[in-house]
């Protein structure tokens, strides 16, 4: 005997309300003659408006009857106006939180169990929300426990939605653990063991209430900001994000649904913080989550997409730069579209074109002209040098260059060394993205006024070494020239300086297509 058979003994028996039957029948009759079933909205029908305006007790009876009849229609394979209007009607009624009796709630759970995996089309999360409210007021008795177990078995664990609903039902049946404080995967298992105060536990209980939408409500964000003010959020966030999406697990492990919920809520707590290190950590996590596993999909599209949305909301220019990095490194199509949308929204807020915003947000990492960053540490000097696609650390004592990291620097100035190595890593991640972005100028044909091009490209301390290896097309007032950086100035392929450059000169990356062979050959000789 299977679990479903074992639990059949206490299936609910609810007598249909005649008035509710009459209202639903009137709704079915009204939509029966309509042609476009998929566009049916209950509020567009006379019967639907009557139901939505009915007293709460009658609405509760309609909800129960709608679930029972919806299950019957679905089991018969009916795809018609009646079934579709029920699917549209139930979410609207459930949002009104009708006053269901325990028997009515059991009838709904029974109908959902009989629907199986199709239960998600019939407001399953809303139904579980009503169960949670019922359990908060009254204890779980045997019929309710069995109804929830039937539903769990019917949903199965083959699909993510079923696993997520099963975990939620398990929390309802457990009841004793505070919401949000039950480990649901490798990430939360590490993090929840480090919650050392009531303030942190309250914050993560709030994290668990994030909901299913792609973005939280304003009220949720405001409440999160109040709770976060009682803890040291930034240092913990940097440490926990550095764990990665599935700490301690082998490559190819996906994020569990519970961990995805936890990470999503935690990330949204960070959207109001301005921190370059935090923006980089969120981008690192997003890239790891959006990495595809062969024959499976991304590690976690939901967490990766949340990283993109949070970066788009964060203040400062660093989040935009990190979005630019993700824009060229992420291959997951859905996430790429989301990144483009985030860029457009950020540009709209700044009153700029998306391409201008991306160029202006390229980070300098504190580099001086020529791509150098120096730090004095006692008798030693550490210098980070950007050369093309490489970022190298060089150490010196006085005028003498050292072969490795001096022991005194490791011992006496670990913070300086840690900061430089982190910057080196960030630059190493950013340079390939900037190279691909610059290469894309060949296809877009984007042109910039000379002053903007000079500040954003030629003299930018991070990418100037890349830019000065390229050939650029200058045009102004009917004059054109191809030019490159000689080491001291802009020259043509005969090493002659370009003397007519003005502020209104338009600059674009040169593409040899359409130019005479002798022009191309001249530049080949110059480059050689």
């Amino acid at each position: 005997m299977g679990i479903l058979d074992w639990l059949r003994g206490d299936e609910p028996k609810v007598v249909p309300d005649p008035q509710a039957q009459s209202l639903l029948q009137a709704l079915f009759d009204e939509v029966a003659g309509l042609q476009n079933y998929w566009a049916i909205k209950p509020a567009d029908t006379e019967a639907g408006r009557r139901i939505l305006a009915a007293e709460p007790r009658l609405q509760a009876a309609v909800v129960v009857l709608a679930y029972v009849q919806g299950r019957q229609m679905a089991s018969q394979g009916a795809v018609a106006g009646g079934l579709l209007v029920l699917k549209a009607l139930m979410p609207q009624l459930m949002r009104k939180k009708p006053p269901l009796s325990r028997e009515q709630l059991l009838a709904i759970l029974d109908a959902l169990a009989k629907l199986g995996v199709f239960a998600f089309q019939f407001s399953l999360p809303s139904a579980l929300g009503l169960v949670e409210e019922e359990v908060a007021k009254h204890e779980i008795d045997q019929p309710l426990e069995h109804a929830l177990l039937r539903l769990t078995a019917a949903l199965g664990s083959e699909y993510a939605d079923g696993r997520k609903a099963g975990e939620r039902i398990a929390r309802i049946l457990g009841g004793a653990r505070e919401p949000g404080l039950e480990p649901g995967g490798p990430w939360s298992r590490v993090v929840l063991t480090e919650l050392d105060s009531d303030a942190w536990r309250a914050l993560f209980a709030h994290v668990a209430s994030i909901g299913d939408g792609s973005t939280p409500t304003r009220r949720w964000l405001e409440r999160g900001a109040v709770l976060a003010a009682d803890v040291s959020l930034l240092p913990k966030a940097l440490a926990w994000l550095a764990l990665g999406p599935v700490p301690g697990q082998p490559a190819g492990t996906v994020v569990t649904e519970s961990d995805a919920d936890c990470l999503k809520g935690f990330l949204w707590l960070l959207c109001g913080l301005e921190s370059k290190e935090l923006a980089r950590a969120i981008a690192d996590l997003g890239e790891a989550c959006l990495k595809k596993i062969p024959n499976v999909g991304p590690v976690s599209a939901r967490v990766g997409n949340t990283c993109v949305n949070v970066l788009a909301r964060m203040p400062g220019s660093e989040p935009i730069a990190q979005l630019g990095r993700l824009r060229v490194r992420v291959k997951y199509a859905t996430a790429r579209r989301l990144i483009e949308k985030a860029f457009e929204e950020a540009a709209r807020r700044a009153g700029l074109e998306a391409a201008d915003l991306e160029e202006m947000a390229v980070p300098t990492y504190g580099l001086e002209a020529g791509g150098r960053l120096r730090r004095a540490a006692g008798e030693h000097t550490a210098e980070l040098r950007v050369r093309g696609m490489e970022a190298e650390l060089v150490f010196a004592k006085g005028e003498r260059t050292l072969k490795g990291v001096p022991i005194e620097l490791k011992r006496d100035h670990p913070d300086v060394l840690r900061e430089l190595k982190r910057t080196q890593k960030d630059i190493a991640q950013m340079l390939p993205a900037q190279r691909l972005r610059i290469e894309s100028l060949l296809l877009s044909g984007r042109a910039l006024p000379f002053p903007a091009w000079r500040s954003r490209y030629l003299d930018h301390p991070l990418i100037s070494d890349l830019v000065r290896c390229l050939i650029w097309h200058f045009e102004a007032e009917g004059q054109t020239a191809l030019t490159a950086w000689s080491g001291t100035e802009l020259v043509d392929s005969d090493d002659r300086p370009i003397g007519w450059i003005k502020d209104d000169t338009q600059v674009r990356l040169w593409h040899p297509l359409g130019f005479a062979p002798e022009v191309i050959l001249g530049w080949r000789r110059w480059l050689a």
Side-chain angles (χ1 to χ4, degrees), residues 224-450:
V226 171
L227 292 170
D230 296 331
V231 299
S232 298
L233 184 57
L234 182 58
K236 284 289 190 182
L238 292 173
W240 289 339
L241 295 178
L243 293 171
V246 281
Q249 301 302 304
T253 303
V254 299
V255 176
T256 67
E257 290 299 310
S258 292
D259 256 9
D261 287 340
C262 194
L263 274 161
K264 174 186 167 184
F266 183 70
L267 285 164
W268 274 113
L269 292 176
L270 311 176
C271 68
L273 301 180
E274 184 169 3
S275 164
K276 293 181 179 180
E277 293 80 7
L278 183 61
R280 294 166 194 167
I282 293 173
D284 289 346
L285 180 68
E287 185 176 352
C289 287
L290 294 171
K291 188 171 293 183
K292 285 190 174 182
I293 301 172
N295 303 317
V296 175
V299 172
S300 177
R302 193 141 58 91
V303 177
N305 291 344
T306 300
C307 290
V308 172
N309 284 325
V310 169
L311 286 170
R313 292 275 194 98
M314 290 178 71
S317 61
E318 185 66 29
I320 301 299
Q322 295 303 322
L323 281 174
R325 183 186 120 205
L326 293 177
R327 190 183 202 178
V328 296
R329 292 180 65 88
V330 170
K331 306 304 178 186
Y332 184 51
T334 303
R336 288 176 66 89
R337 289 193 293 270
L338 186 63
I339 294 169
E340 293 293 340
K341 184 178 178 181
F343 256 110
E344 292 168 5
E345 177 61 23
R348 185 190 63 77
R349 290 198 300 268
L352 298 168
E353 294 292 330
D356 287 312
L357 180 66
E358 188 175 10
E359 291 168 344
M360 294 166 68
V362 176
T364 64
Y365 297 104
L367 297 166
E368 301 172 355
R372 292 170 179 260
L373 174 62
R374 294 183 181 182
R375 289 286 185 269
E379 297 180 346
H380 298 87
T381 301
E383 184 175 292
L384 182 59
R385 300 174 182 173
V386 177
R387 292 290 178 267
M389 292 296 297
E390 301 292 333
E392 62 174 348
L393 269 174
V394 179
F395 302 93
K397 185 175 183 180
E399 299 296 322
R400 182 166 60 93
T401 301
L402 305 177
K403 291 184 178 181
V405 184
I407 295 176
E408 297 86 351
L409 188 62
K410 291 181 181 179
R411 182 188 64 221
D412 301 332
H413 303 279
D415 292 344
V416 173
L417 186 60
R418 192 180 307 114
E419 176 200 350
L420 286 171
K421 286 190 173 181
R422 174 63 194 183
T423 303
Q424 182 185 30
K425 178 184 175 183
D426 292 336
I427 290 174
Q429 291 177 326
M430 184 60 74
L431 281 173
Q434 293 302 319
R435 182 194 64 191
L436 290 172
R437 184 181 65 80
I438 294 169
E439 288 176 356
S440 72
L441 297 175
L442 285 171
L443 292 176
S444 68
R446 173 171 167 76
L448 284 171
F450 177 75

Side-chain angles (χ1 to χ4, degrees), residues 106-140:
L106 291 173
I108 289 174
L109 293 176
D110 179 67
L112 289 169
K114 289 174 179 174
L115 281 164
V117 294
F118 297 104
F120 296 99
Q121 301 179 38
F122 289 84
S123 301
L124 174 63
S126 298
L128 292 179
L130 294 178
V131 173
E132 288 167 342
E133 292 184 10
E134 172 69 12
V135 171
K137 298 174 186 175
H138 308 287
E139 292 183 0
I140 298 178

Side-chain angles (χ1 to χ4, degrees), residues 172-250:
I172 294 172
L173 293 171
R177 192 71 183 260
E178 187 176 359
L181 301 181
E182 185 68 47
W187 191 83
S188 58
R189 193 172 297 118
V190 173
V191 171
L192 294 180
T193 58
E194 298 181 11
L195 303 186
D196 54 4
S197 68
D198 290 340
W200 274 112
R201 285 185 280 273
L203 184 63
F204 268 81
H206 181 67
V207 162
S209 68
I210 184 69
D212 295 328
S214 59
T215 57
T217 64
R218 185 180 66 179
R219 181 178 297 179
W220 188 95
L221 290 170
E222 290 173 351
R223 176 62 178 161
V226 171
L227 292 170
D230 296 331
V231 299
S232 298
L233 184 57
L234 182 58
K236 284 289 190 182
L238 292 173
W240 289 339
L241 295 178
L243 293 171
V246 281
Q249 301 302 304

